[in-house]
């Protein structure tokens, strides 16, 4: 089924607000940055203007003060040179006045400056009159001085007012700059808080609309895997991507369950077939074995039986073992693995198996190192334990021919421990759990004979006794099987 | 009268009634808040533009004031009324303030109201040989004593090397300004706009000589008695805020400012008012120039024997009220 585009897309529902929010946030930050830069520029211009005005006013104040002193001093040195110096100073003052007049002053500063320029004109005239009054009668000079002092006091005061106003202009610019900066910081903080809130809302929305449904789906998927049963995945009614995923999961689950049921059915059919087949094969095989044994017995009376008899007997025994395994698996699957427990010495069981496997071990080229400790005695099914040891030794012959095989029995920590170690290639970590599964024949199944049921039966028998079996890596890298059975 | 029975309102009606009640109380509180009355004495001259604007526009009302302007012939008269407790404050000029300071009057200067260098003039009878300031020697010169016209006249006389007693000084009241010169009672009259223009117009261009001073600067101030300042500080601060708003209007819309002046003057004085208006700068401030102006006048008057000592004017100034409203208007500091 081709998934169709969801009617309401999560991408739109989540991405669009996220992108929109990002655009707004970037826009807000960008605006703040632009405003900040503009405000900084305005402040710098204001500072530069204040500095320029202040420098000129200070220069003018100094020049005016010097000129006034010169005017007063002229009374005591009334010569043309002194008069010329005074005129020179007045000209310099005029130049400074022209520079200040060229500045762009705000309204209040412009008003004070205008008053100064007006008073300055009167001061020049009064100074001229005062200089002309030098040598005149005292009263006349006094009146001229009073007039000159009146207007000079006014010009000096106006320059002082202009200087103070200039500083206050700077203070105002600083206060405005600080205020704007604080407003921008407040705006920035508000934007960040709003952004954080929006992010939280978005995160909550994502959590509610996406993450939690996905986690719920994941939990259901885990349960499906664990319980091997079809469970509904919630969210199928949604029209977005989550809904599409939920419906796809439900479809997949239904198909898997159906397939699993078919597989279980097929396995059940297979097991049933193997059970029936092994039962059916056992009877003619038993008859064939009896026939061969009888023939061997009769022929041995006349000399050595022909080799084909022994070979046929071996193949019959092999078939008998295979069918026995199948029957055991059938009983195990049916839960009919019964144990006939009695006081059993594990070391003795191992000795008997190794003695029986002697010729086969020799043919395979496996040397055996045996370590049997006392005390490994418990209430076990001796026959089944024989089967366990047989399967482990058979495994070593099959998968590690020509290598030394070490078999050790000991009692430790309340358990009887059986270790079978070979010098072969070992069992890779990936296979160590699977080797105990039925029909598992390792990495190269076609190279090794058998049905792959031996280790499965080993685990079932050991676990039926309350024990454990595991496989690891031996000292030389070969396989090392460890069986632990509870004592007592 | 029947018994009233309490009726139970439905639950959803109660919040609406409560909201309406709260809104009604708020409206009454806002609308019915009484304005504080403040009475200012002043001469009805263009130099008081800011007070006219504050009273006629919404500026004083918005500051919670009921501003009442009371006419006086001169600033000197308005100042005297304020010191006598007849008005709360006065618009006065620098000369009467200096004279009151000589007497140690408990006055406080809140702000300047205007400056001008061409408001004052001596109008003289050219047909009687008064063509310049030097011709005032021995002449009868009329002046309203104790006003800034008196100080202005002193500077005019000094500009020609004349002393105060080189002329015959005649005390002329404002009411006589229009007739004193024309009738020949005086040969010259020291006066202010719009009287300068009116008297000169009445004499005619052939008979009138108008003498200005380049060293004199007129400044008017808002003055209040010290006890009034202490008791009505909040109201006076509100008045300064209203004046500051009026100052902005005067700067941005001069025509609107002149309209406030025009509304106060008789129609016949409009031409003269417009002429004098051109030389007036309505401006608030507490400045070094103000102190220099007061001190210079005081020093001049002390030098002429009018008083014994120059008063310290700094304690009379109250810069903090204006500084709280417009810091750049207060430049009464030592420059950096």
């Amino acid at each position: 089924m081709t998934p169709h585009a969801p009617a309401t897309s999560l991408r739109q529902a989540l991405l669009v607000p996220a992108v929109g929010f990002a655009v707004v946030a970037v826009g807000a930050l960008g605006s703040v940055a632009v405003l900040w830069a503009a405000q900084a520029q305005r402040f710098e211009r204001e500072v530069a203007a204040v500095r320029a005005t202040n420098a000129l006013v200070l220069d003018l104040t100094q020049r005016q003060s010097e000129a006034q002193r010169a005017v007063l001093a002229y009374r005591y040195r009334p010569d043309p040179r002194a008069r010329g110096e005074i005129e020179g100073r007045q000209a310099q003052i005029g130049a400074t006045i022209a520079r200040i007049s060229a500045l762009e002053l705000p309204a209040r500063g412009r008003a004070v400056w205008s008053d100064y320029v007006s008073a300055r004109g009167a001061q020049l005239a009064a100074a001229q009159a005062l200089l002309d009054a030098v040598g005149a009668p005292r009263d006349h000079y006094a009146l001229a001085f009073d007039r000159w002092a009146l207007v000079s006091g006014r010009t000096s005061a106006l320059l002082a007012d202009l200087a103070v106003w200039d500083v206050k202009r700077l203070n105002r610019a600083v206060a405005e700059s600080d205020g704007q900066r604080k407003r921008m910081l407040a705006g920035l903080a508000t934007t960040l808080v709003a952004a954080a809130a929006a992010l939280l809302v978005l995160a909550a929305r994502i959590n509610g609309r996406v993450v939690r449904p996905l986690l719920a789906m994941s939990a259901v998927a885990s349960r499906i895997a664990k319980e091997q049963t079809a469970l509904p995945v919630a969210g199928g009614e949604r029209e977005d991507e989550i809904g599409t995923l939920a419906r796809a999961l439900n479809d997949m689950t239904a198909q898997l369950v159906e397939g699993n049921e078919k597989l279980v059915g097929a396995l059940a059919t297979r097991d049933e077939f193997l059970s029936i087949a092994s039962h059916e094969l056992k009877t003619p095989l038993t008859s064939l074995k009896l026939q061969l044994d009888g023939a061997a017995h009769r022929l041995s009376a006349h000399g050595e039986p022909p080799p084909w008899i022994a070979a046929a007997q071996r193949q019959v025994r092999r078939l008998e073992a295979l069918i026995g395994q199948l029957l055991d698996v059938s009983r195990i699957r049916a839960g009919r693995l019964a144990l006939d427990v009695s006081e059993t010495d594990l070391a003795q069981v191992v000795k008997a198996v190794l003695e029986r496997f002697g010729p086969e071990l020799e043919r395979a080229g496996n040397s055996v190192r045996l370590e049997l400790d006392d005390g490994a005695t418990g209430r076990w099914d001796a026959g089944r334990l024989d089967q366990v040891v047989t399967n482990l030794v058979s495994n070593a012959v099959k998968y590690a021919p020509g290598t030394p095989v070490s078999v050790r029995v000991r009692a430790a920590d309340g358990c009887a421990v059986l270790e079978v170690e070979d010098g072969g290639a070992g069992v890779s970590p990936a296979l160590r759990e699977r080797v105990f599964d039925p029909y598992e024949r390792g990495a190269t199944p076609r190279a090794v004979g058998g049905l792959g049921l031996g280790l499965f039966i080993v685990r079932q028998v050991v676990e039926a006794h309350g024990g454990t079996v595991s496989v690891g890596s031996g000292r030389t890298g070969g396989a090392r099987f460890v069986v632990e059975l509870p004592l007592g | 009268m029947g018994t009233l029975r309490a009726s139970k309102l439905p639950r959803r009606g109660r919040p609406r009634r409560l909201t309406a009640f709260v809104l009604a109380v708020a409206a009454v509180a806002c609308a019915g808040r009484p304005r504080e009355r403040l009475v200012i004495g002043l001469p009805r001259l263009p130099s008081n533009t800011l007070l006219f604007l504050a009273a006629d526009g919404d500026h004083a009302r918005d500051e919670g004031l009921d501003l009442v302007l009371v006419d006086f012939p001169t600033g000197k008269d308005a100042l005297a009324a304020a010191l006598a407790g007849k008005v709360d404050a006065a618009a006065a000029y620098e000369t009467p303030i200096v004279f009151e300071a000589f007497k140690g009057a408990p006055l406080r200067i809140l702000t300047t109201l205007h400056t001008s260098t061409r408001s004052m003039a001596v109008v003289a009878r050219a047909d009687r040989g008064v063509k310049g300031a030097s011709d005032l020697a021995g002449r009868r010169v009329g002046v309203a004593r104790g006003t800034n016209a008196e100080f202005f006249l002193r500077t005019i006389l000094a500009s020609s090397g004349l002393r105060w007693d080189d002329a015959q000084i005649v005390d002329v009241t404002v009411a006589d300004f229009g007739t004193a010169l024309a009738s020949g009672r005086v040969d010259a009259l020291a006066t202010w706009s719009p009287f300068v223009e009116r008297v000169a117009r009445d004499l005619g261009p052939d008979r009138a000589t108008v003498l200005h001073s380049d060293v004199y600067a007129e400044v008017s101030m808002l003055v209040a008695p010290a006890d009034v300042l202490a008791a009505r500080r909040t109201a006076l601060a509100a008045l300064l805020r209203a004046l500051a708003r009026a100052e902005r209007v005067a700067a941005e819309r001069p025509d609107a400012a002149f309209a406030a002046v025009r509304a106060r003057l008789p129609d016949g004085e409009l031409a003269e008012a417009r002429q004098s208006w051109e030389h007036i700068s309505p401006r608030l401030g507490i400045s070094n120039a103000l102190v220099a102006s007061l001190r210079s006048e005081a020093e001049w008057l002390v030098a002429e024997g009018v008083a014994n000592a120059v008063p310290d004017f700094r304690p009379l100034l109250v810069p903090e009220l204006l500084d709280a409203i417009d810091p750049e208007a207060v430049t009464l500091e030592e420059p950096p």
Side-chain angles (χ1 to χ4, degrees):
Chain A
M1 184 174 77
T2 307
H4 61 280
T8 57
S9 171
L10 271 179
R11 187 182 304 167
Q12 286 175 349
L14 297 175
L15 213 60
V16 167
V19 170
F21 155 74
V23 167
V24 168
V26 168
L29 289 173
S31 300
V32 169
V34 166
L35 286 173
W36 196 292
Q39 181 265 329
Q41 270 188 346
R42 275 197 302 274
F43 182 68
E44 282 174 14
R45 279 199 299 270
E46 191 78 26
V47 170
V50 167
R51 281 192 182 142
T53 307
N54 205 40
L56 288 171
V57 168
L58 286 176
D59 180 58
L60 180 59
T61 302
Q62 187 177 350
R63 289 184 188 279
Q64 183 167 282
S65 177
E66 291 167 355
Q68 287 171 356
R69 284 197 293 272
V71 166
L72 290 174
Y74 182 76
R75 187 184 186 192
Y76 305 100
R77 192 170 65 99
D79 59 58
R81 185 178 168 192
R83 189 109 180 199
E85 281 179 9
I86 291 171
E87 287 170 2
R89 290 180 188 280
Q90 305 288 29
Q92 287 174 349
I93 290 173
T96 306
I97 288 173
R99 289 175 66 188
I100 297 176
S101 295
L103 297 174
E104 287 184 13
L105 298 176
R108 194 170 289 283
R110 201 163 51 241
V112 175
W113 180 245
S114 174
D115 286 351
Y116 170 80
V117 171
S118 175
R120 171 63 186 169
Q123 184 189 31
L124 278 175
Q128 193 71 31
L130 183 61
L131 294 173
D132 291 339
V134 171
R138 189 188 180 97
D139 288 350
H140 186 72
Y141 183 85
L143 285 171
F145 175 83
D146 288 343
R147 186 162 163 260
W148 175 84
L150 179 66
V151 70
S152 294
R154 180 170 167 75
T155 55
S156 296
L158 285 167
L159 282 181
D161 286 333
L162 194 62
V164 172
W165 165 82
D166 205 35
V167 170
K168 289 201 167 187
R169 173 167 68 142
L170 179 62
N171 292 342
R172 176 180 51 78
V174 168
E176 281 178 1
S177 176
D178 283 346
Q180 282 181 352
R181 195 172 303 124
K182 283 177 186 166
R183 282 191 294 275
M184 279 192 276
L185 284 174
L188 191 62
T190 304
T191 302
L192 288 174
V193 167
L199 273 175
L200 282 173
V201 169
L202 192 63
R205 190 174 166 81
I206 291 173
N207 186 54
R209 297 284 296 167
V210 177
V211 174
R212 276 167 47 187
L214 288 177
L215 286 175
M217 286 184 192
S218 173
V220 172
S222 295
R223 278 189 61 196
I224 291 172
K226 185 177 176 182
E227 297 171 19
Q228 295 291 310
T229 184
L231 294 171
V233 174
E237 72 285 355
R238 286 171 60 159
E239 294 295 321
D240 55 18
E241 289 88 339
I242 296 293
T244 303
L245 176 62
R247 287 189 294 276
L249 283 174
N250 283 329
D251 290 342
M252 182 186 72
T253 302
Q255 289 177 15
L256 283 174
V257 166
E258 185 183 341
N260 192 52
E261 285 172 354
K262 287 182 183 171
L263 181 63
V264 167
L267 288 175
T269 304
R270 180 198 65 180
D271 289 343
E272 188 180 354
F273 166 74
L274 289 174
S275 175
I276 295 171
S278 49
H279 274 103
E280 294 300 319
L281 287 172
K282 186 175 172 68
T283 304
L285 189 64
T286 303
S287 174
L288 181 60
K289 183 181 175 193
L290 286 173
Q291 296 276 343
L292 282 172
D293 288 345
H297 180 73
R298 285 194 298 275
L299 290 172
S300 64
H302 301 288
E304 187 69 26
W308 62 266
I309 292 286
Q313 283 177 318
R314 282 198 302 276
Q315 293 305 320
V316 165
R317 283 197 295 276
R318 190 170 167 227
L319 276 173
E320 196 176 36
L322 288 173
I323 290 172
Q325 284 185 341
L326 286 173
L327 287 172
D328 281 340
V329 169
S330 175
R331 290 190 200 99
I332 289 168
R333 289 238 195 262
R336 291 186 282 117
L337 181 67
L339 297 179
D340 182 14
V341 299
S342 62
E343 202 66 26
T344 306
D345 186 344
L346 183 59
Q348 296 302 316
V349 172
V350 168
K351 268 188 199 172
V353 170
L354 287 176
E355 197 172 313
R356 194 166 68 240
F357 258 85
E360 197 164 343
L361 286 165
E362 191 177 337
R363 271 199 300 277
N366 292 109
S367 59
V368 176
R369 177 167 163 242
L370 188 62
E371 285 180 44
L372 300 177
D373 294 343
D374 294 331
T377 305
R379 289 189 61 77
W380 305 313
D381 187 327
R384 290 296 181 187
L385 286 192
D386 184 286
Q387 192 178 17
V388 167
V389 179
T390 299
N391 286 351
L392 291 176
V393 172
S394 171
N395 214 62
V397 169
K398 208 183 297 181
Y399 288 95
T403 67
V405 175
S406 166
V407 181
R408 184 180 171 197
V409 174
R410 56 189 170 85
D413 299 329
C415 288
V417 181
L418 166 66
E419 295 174 7
V420 178
E421 183 178 334
D422 62 47
V427 179
S428 66
L431 284 176
R432 282 178 190 172
E433 271 303 310
R434 282 171 44 199
V435 293
F436 295 103
D437 291 342
Y439 310 108
E440 182 58 53
R441 301 203 290 160
T444 55
R446 294 211 180 271
V448 177
L451 296 173
L453 295 174
L455 291 178
F456 171 72
I457 294 172
V458 165
R459 168 170 275 181
Q460 299 302 315
V461 169
V462 168
E463 289 179 357
H465 282 86
T468 60
V469 60
S470 62
V471 62
S473 188
R475 282 177 294 243
T476 58
R480 177 167 171 267
F481 289 88
V482 178
V483 174
E484 292 182 349
L485 295 168
L487 294 172
Chain B
M1 188 166 148
T3 308
L4 290 174
R5 289 184 299 170
S7 61
K8 279 199 167 182
L9 287 171
R11 288 175 67 84
R12 57 188 168 85
R14 287 184 197 151
R16 289 184 195 167
R17 283 282 288 268
L18 182 62
T19 303
F21 175 74
V22 170
L23 287 174
V25 168
V28 168
C30 290
R33 186 177 59 193
R35 294 196 191 90
E36 190 167 355
R37 181 181 168 91
L38 205 58
V39 182
I40 311 296
L42 76 174
R44 195 165 42 161
L45 295 171
S47 58
N48 289 314
T49 297
L50 294 183
L51 281 165
F52 297 152
L53 266 175
D56 295 346
D58 294 330
H59 310 302
R61 276 195 294 276
D62 289 348
E63 295 294 338
L65 292 177
D66 177 18
L67 191 60
V68 177
L69 303 183
V70 177
D71 289 344
F72 286 88
T74 66
K76 173 188 171 187
D77 297 323
L79 180 59
L83 291 172
K86 294 178 182 173
V87 294
D88 297 317
Y93 302 82
E94 75 288 346
T95 305
I97 290 174
V98 170
F99 276 115
E100 290 295 342
F102 281 143
K103 292 185 281 187
L107 55 87
R108 295 292 181 266
I109 302 169
L110 303 182
T111 180
T112 61
L113 292 171
H114 97 287
T115 61
S116 174
T117 55
R118 297 283 287 186
S119 292
M120 305 297 297
V122 170
V123 183
R125 293 288 297 266
D127 58 338
R128 292 196 175 179
V130 183
K131 301 265 175 64
S134 57
D135 299 326
L136 292 174
R139 300 290 186 167
R140 288 168 299 168
V141 181
V143 67
R145 298 299 301 268
T147 67
N148 48 331
E150 177 177 332
F151 182 74
F152 168 76
L153 178 58
R154 290 176 185 269
T155 65
I156 284 285
L157 292 172
S159 68
S160 293
L162 298 176
R163 301 194 64 82
W164 183 249
D165 50 12
D166 288 336
Q168 297 178 41
I169 305 302
V170 178
D171 195 2
V172 177
T173 64
V174 174
D176 294 335
F177 277 178
T179 58
L181 197 59
S183 67
R185 179 179 161 209
V186 295
D187 301 312
L189 177 67
T191 185
W192 51 83
S193 291
F195 298 105
V196 170
E197 292 79 9
R198 189 181 311 154
V199 169
R201 183 197 65 202
D202 290 344
L203 276 181
D206 296 332
R207 297 169 65 195
T209 297
V210 180
L211 305 174
H212 290 282
S213 169
D214 57 353
V215 299
Y216 172 76
E218 178 188 82
V219 58
S220 66
M221 288 151 271
L222 179 67
V223 181
D227 58 342
V228 173
L229 174 63
R232 309 287 303 280
R233 194 178 183 91
T234 305
L236 290 169
L239 175 59
L240 286 179
R241 287 195 295 273
L243 289 171
R245 293 167 63 169
E247 185 186 33
R248 283 194 288 276
V249 170
E252 294 165 6
R253 292 183 288 147
D255 287 345
F258 184 69
V261 174
R262 189 174 57 204
R264 296 273 173 171
L265 298 176
D267 289 342
E269 298 176 9
L270 285 182
E272 292 83 13
R274 174 57 81 174
Q275 273 185 296
S276 65
W277 167 262
E278 300 295 328
H279 304 298
I280 287 172
S281 298
R283 192 187 317 161
L284 301 181
I286 298 280
S287 64
N288 293 303
L290 172 62
V291 174
S293 178
L294 293 169
R295 187 181 295 134
S296 298
E297 283 202 29
E299 288 170 350
W300 192 303
L301 293 171
V302 167
E304 295 210 348
V306 173
N308 294 326
V310 176
D312 184 2
F313 290 99
R314 290 255 175 166
L316 303 184
L317 301 171
V318 186
E320 58 270 18
L321 288 182
L322 185 61
D323 190 70
I325 298 166
D326 185 356
E328 290 183 32
V330 178
T331 54
L332 185 67
E333 293 169 12
E334 290 298 319

